Amino acid sequence: MTLFRQLLALILLSLTLSLAGALWLSFDNSREFLAEQLTTDIENASVSMAGALQPHLDPLQPVLIESVLKAYADGGFYQQLEVRLFGSELSWQEQRTVDFHGVPAWFQGLELLPQVERSVVLSSGWLQYGELTIIGHPGMAYRTLWQTFIQMLSWFAALTLLLVLVAAMGIRRILKPLQQIQHVSDQIRQHQFDQPITLPKTPELRSVVEAINQMAQQLQRDFSESDQRQQQLKDQAFRDPVSGLGNRRFFNQQLQAWLQQEPRGVLALIKIPSLTQRDQQSFVERDKAIARASQLMQQRCAGVADAVLCRLGLDEFALILPGQSIEQSRALLEHQQQALLELFASTELPVWIGACWINHSGSVAEVMARVDQALQHARSDNNQQVQIHTDSREVAQRSELVTMLQKAVEQGAVSFSKQPVKLLGDQQLVHYELFARLEFPVGTLLPAASFMSTLDEYELGLRFDQLAIKLVLAQLEKDPGQSVVLNLSAASLKSTAFQRWLALQLQQHVDVLPFFGLECSEETVLYNKAAVISLVQLLREYGVRFGLDRVGRNFSSMTYVQQVRPDYVKIDAAFTQSLVASPQESVFLTSLVSTIRALSIQVLAVHIEDEEQLQQLSHYRFDGYQGFLHQPEPFFSNTLQHGEKA
């Protein structure tokens, strides 16, 4: 029982006993008064009736005696009237049935009022003729006493209710600081720190609140320092101090991780000779020029989800554009070149960009050789200083792909596979992550990585997310019991109508929501934080799990994780894949995992492909893992005939 209820019960019990005692005394006084009143009425009636009967006794007039008895019996509250003559067997009697008129039997059975009986001798002078016996009728007294009891009970109930309300309000006001302490304690447990609690006037509670406020402030400082430490470790290991971009080490990790994930997109090298010329100037001026160029390129890439921009050397930068089409990449790279030329217009030096289209896995060395070749072509071709090497068949198949995607989305021809996410140690299943593939009439299965950029380019991403959610929820209705998670695209979060649509879907499938979850990437959160926070609030109302993917990929503070409060996060694959190859990175990874775990958020590793990597995880406090150590398996397929619609 809560402290509030204990105090309320104690106060209510004390007040109830006091009030019940006072009301009982009042009720008992009323009972005694009615008993005395009943006795007095009988005594008065006996005297009056004796006087009325006396003239009819000598000479004896039976008819008049009987008339007097009837008159008194009909006009008063008497149960029995009897006249008995001495020395004779003559007697007259009038009886009336006792009717309590609405007084319950249990109340009558309490015998709160005595039965009043009075006998008087009928005489004339010294001569005694007989005896008059009167037994009172308690019906009226019981009715009066019952009405008094009901009124007192009503007052008792009303006063009790009033006392409960007043006591509850008073106790709540007194205990408000304790409620705030409980709320703040829950937030502290989750590493959420709001405004400090207002100090109460009660001295005992004031000292407690001061201690809680100081503890919250200290924990906030500790978390901020922990976040800063892991950020510093990450900057030292993976960030170029001059440009603020990722360094070559970070680039190699990201490129290797991307190439192992069914890559589809563009990799580019950007050469800025103007920065080399500035090597003849002061280091300060050169560093300022590098910082300006880096900031400019970051701004141009801000709208590209999952883009990775790194500085590889003095005048060389690398750019990974996952999911971007050839046309999208060419337009972006040409804008990059034009902006850089304008920035360094005074040097009159060119900007060379070499890129290659990647649509299959490969080694880092092989891909870098292709990109370097494209860069050399850009340097040797003054008319085309932005070179993108690609297979000519890719361009020819572009329009065909768009048509096929539109038809597949329209018909709902989607297939899903699932990959388990398990806890370390007991290997308990956390959930399955679902991977979508579009099915075409010719039997081709196209993975999501191959078409998501095209969907976004042609504004089909939102429709695809809605289709996937509807199909998965419908499948869970048919076969519940498997916890599954779907990835959301940035297009859905940018849509103001998506959350309203999602709320309606969740309302229609309440029974299966414990088995359903959504997740999105870190980049999506950073660029759509308000929308993601609103989405998380909606999902929590319906008990739907939410997770973040690729956490740690960007050079951003973990405060966004604290604000979003996901149920779990997945550390970027580039870090987990390098555990075995680069044990020296363990300091940063340990700090990152510890910072997130301090928020009571589950931390998962991804792309775990062998037992060696799995063994390494136990040293870094990961909660669970996912990867090709457990191969994806079919979940369900929604293959429809041509012309049908989902």
Side-chain angles (χ1 to χ4, degrees):
M1 184 181 292
T2 63
L3 179 61
F4 169 79
R5 292 183 178 179
Q6 292 180 29
L7 292 176
L8 184 61
L10 180 61
I11 293 175
L12 181 60
L13 178 62
S14 301
L15 292 176
T16 300
L17 292 176
S18 300
L19 187 59
L23 292 177
W24 172 253
L25 289 176
S26 177
F27 177 78
D28 191 57
N29 289 335
S30 298
R31 183 189 63 81
E32 291 180 355
F33 172 78
L34 289 173
E36 292 177 359
Q37 185 69 34
L38 185 61
T39 302
T40 302
D41 289 345
I42 295 299
E43 290 179 350
N44 293 337
S46 63
V47 173
S48 174
M49 191 178 299
L53 290 172
Q54 186 177 3
H56 308 302
L57 296 175
D58 188 18
L60 184 63
Q61 300 176 0
V63 175
L64 294 178
I65 291 174
E66 186 175 355
S67 298
V68 170
L69 290 179
K70 286 184 177 181
Y72 272 88
D74 293 337
F77 296 95
Y78 309 108
Q79 183 176 348
Q80 180 177 322
L81 299 176
E82 182 181 10
V83 174
R84 182 173 56 83
L85 297 181
F86 295 146
S88 172
E89 294 183 356
L90 292 176
S91 64
W92 295 267
Q93 189 179 74
E94 288 290 334
Q95 290 185 340
R96 296 292 183 267
T97 303
V98 178
D99 188 0
F100 292 91
H101 292 295
V103 180
W106 66 267
F107 191 76
Q108 303 171 30
L110 297 177
E111 298 182 355
L112 298 173
L113 295 173
Q115 186 179 46
V116 181
E117 181 177 345
R118 179 71 172 172
S119 297
V120 296
V121 176
L122 300 176
S123 61
S124 177
W126 295 100
L127 185 61
Q128 295 181 344
Y129 293 100
E131 184 181 47
L132 171 64
T133 301
I134 302 177
I135 300 176
H137 190 312
M140 178 59 70
Y142 265 105
R143 286 199 299 271
T144 303
L145 189 61
W146 172 250
Q147 292 172 357
T148 302
F149 175 76
I150 292 298
Q151 291 175 356
M152 289 184 176
L153 191 62
S154 300
W155 274 103
F156 178 80
L159 290 175
T160 301
L161 179 60
L162 179 62
L163 290 174
V164 169
L165 294 176
V166 173
M169 292 174 61
I171 294 174
R172 286 189 184 279
R173 184 171 182 178
I174 294 173
L175 297 182
K176 185 177 181 180
L178 291 181
Q179 296 172 349
Q180 292 176 325
I181 290 174
Q182 181 182 5
H183 176 68
V184 170
S185 299
D186 292 338
Q187 289 185 320
I188 290 175
R189 181 176 55 84
Q190 301 175 0
H191 279 72
Q192 291 181 323
F193 308 99
D194 291 337
Q195 296 297 324
I197 306 174
T198 304
L199 295 178
K201 296 180 180 179
T202 308
E204 293 81 0
L205 293 178
R206 188 181 185 90
S207 59
V208 175
V209 170
E210 288 177 344
I212 292 293
N213 287 340
Q214 292 174 2
M215 181 178 67
Q217 293 171 2
Q218 182 61 46
L219 290 174
Q220 175 66 54
R221 287 193 294 268
D222 292 344
F223 176 78
S224 299
E225 291 174 0
S226 175
D227 185 32
Q228 291 174 3
R229 281 195 300 271
Q230 72 86 17
Q231 190 64 36
Q232 290 172 357
L233 290 172
K234 185 176 183 180
D235 289 346
Q236 292 171 5
F238 303 110
R239 197 169 197 172
D240 176 61
V242 178
S243 64
L245 304 176
N247 56 22
R248 181 178 288 274
R249 183 179 178 186
F250 181 75
F251 169 74
N252 289 336
Q253 281 191 353
Q254 294 296 326
L255 179 59
Q256 184 175 5
W258 181 52
L259 291 176
Q260 296 178 1
Q261 302 176 26
E262 296 182 337
R264 190 177 183 88
V266 169
L267 171 64
L269 291 179
I270 304 173
K271 190 81 169 177
I272 309 176
S274 298
L275 297 177
T276 305
Q277 185 186 52
R278 289 180 178 271
D279 193 28
Q280 302 173 2
Q281 303 179 14
S282 68
F283 291 114
V284 175
E285 291 297 324
R286 184 194 65 188
D287 290 349
K288 288 182 179 179
I290 293 174
R292 288 197 300 271
S294 302
Q295 184 178 8
L296 180 64
M297 287 187 286
Q298 279 184 307
Q299 292 173 352
R300 292 294 186 274
C301 297
V304 180
D306 304 335
V308 177
L309 178 63
C310 300
R311 182 185 176 212
L312 305 185
L314 178 61
D315 61 347
E316 190 171 85
F317 298 81
L319 178 60
I320 303 176
L321 298 172
Q324 295 295 294
S325 66
I326 299 174
E327 293 83 355
Q328 290 174 316
S329 301
R330 185 181 300 280
L332 187 145
L333 293 176
E334 288 178 350
H335 288 158
Q336 286 275 28
Q337 185 205 35
Q338 186 61 37
L340 291 170
L341 288 173
E342 293 175 359
L343 179 64
F344 299 111
S346 60
T347 65
E348 298 183 355
L349 292 177
V351 173
W352 300 308
I353 300 178
C356 68
W357 168 259
I358 300 173
N359 63 349
H360 61 273
S361 300
S363 67
V364 173
E366 175 190 352
V367 172
M368 289 302 296
R370 292 175 56 194
V371 179
D372 189 64
Q373 183 180 15
L375 180 61
Q376 296 304 320
H377 288 173
R379 297 181 67 172
S380 61
D381 189 346
N382 293 329
N383 296 323
Q384 188 66 38
Q385 295 179 342
V386 176
Q387 293 279 344
I388 301 181
H389 285 191
T390 181
D391 191 336
S392 59
R393 290 175 297 177
E394 292 288 344
V395 179
Q397 294 174 353
R398 177 71 173 173
S399 59
E400 181 183 355
L401 174 63
V402 173
T403 302
M404 294 172 66
L405 287 176
Q406 290 174 336
K407 184 177 296 185
V409 173
E410 181 70 20
Q411 295 180 354
V414 184
S415 175
F416 292 92
S417 60
K418 61 181 182 179
Q419 187 178 49
V421 177
K422 295 188 175 183
L423 294 177
L424 288 174
D426 60 4
Q427 298 294 306
Q428 182 179 351
L429 179 68
V430 179
H431 60 250
Y432 289 99
E433 181 175 359
L434 299 184
F435 302 103
R437 296 174 182 268
L438 287 180
E439 296 192 8
F440 297 107
V442 294
T444 304
L445 281 176
L446 195 62
S450 302
F451 60 77
M452 285 307 300
S453 62
T454 308
L455 289 175
D456 290 338
E457 182 181 358
Y458 288 87
E459 299 182 352
L460 296 173
L462 174 60
R463 290 177 55 190
F464 181 78
D465 282 349
Q466 292 176 331
L467 171 65
I469 291 173
K470 288 178 64 176
L471 292 177
V472 170
L473 288 175
Q475 178 65 21
L476 289 177
E477 291 282 1
K478 298 177 183 177
D479 184 19
Q482 300 185 66
S483 295
V484 298
V485 170
L486 269 176
N487 282 276
L488 278 181
S489 67
S492 297
L493 292 172
K494 293 176 182 178
S495 171
T496 56
F498 173 74
Q499 289 193 26
R500 294 194 296 270
W501 176 89
L502 180 61
L504 292 176
Q505 293 297 315
L506 298 180
Q507 291 172 9
Q508 296 172 9
H509 301 277
V510 175
D511 294 338
V512 299
L513 295 186
F515 308 104
F516 181 65
L518 295 172
E519 69 178 44
C520 64
S521 66
E522 181 182 67
E523 292 84 1
T524 303
V525 177
L526 294 177
Y527 292 114
N528 306 276
K529 187 183 298 182
V532 172
I533 292 176
S534 176
L535 173 66
V536 172
Q537 292 175 347
L538 172 65
L539 297 180
R540 282 179 181 159
E541 291 178 6
Y542 289 93
V544 177
R545 283 169 57 84
F546 178 77
L548 292 180
D549 195 7
R550 302 175 186 172
V551 171
R553 184 174 188 175
N554 296 272
F555 294 98
S556 58
S557 170
M558 288 294 104
T559 53
Y560 83 91
V561 179
Q562 186 180 22
Q563 294 170 347
V564 175
R565 307 296 305 174
D567 295 293
Y568 64 90
V569 300
K570 295 179 180 178
I571 301 300
D572 187 57
F575 301 116
T576 55
Q577 286 184 335
S578 63
L579 287 178
V580 178
S582 303
Q584 64 271 21
E585 295 175 8
S586 62
V587 177
F588 158 70
L589 193 59
T590 301
S591 176
L592 176 62
V593 173
S594 298
T595 300
I596 298 175
R597 281 177 59 91
L599 299 174
S600 300
I601 296 174
Q602 203 172 43
V603 183
L604 306 176
V606 296
H607 288 211
I608 304 304
E609 301 181 358
D610 52 48
E611 291 292 339
E612 185 179 7
Q613 286 182 317
L614 186 60
Q615 291 297 325
Q616 287 284 339
L617 295 183
S618 60
H619 304 300
Y620 300 96
R621 301 184 64 200
F622 281 95
D623 295 297
Y625 69 97
Q626 174 187 2
F628 284 93
L629 190 61
H630 303 286
Q631 293 290 332
E633 56 189 72
F635 181 53
F636 80 96
S637 177
N638 191 59
T639 305
L640 301 179
Q641 299 297 324
H642 182 71
E644 290 187 77
K645 294 186 179 181

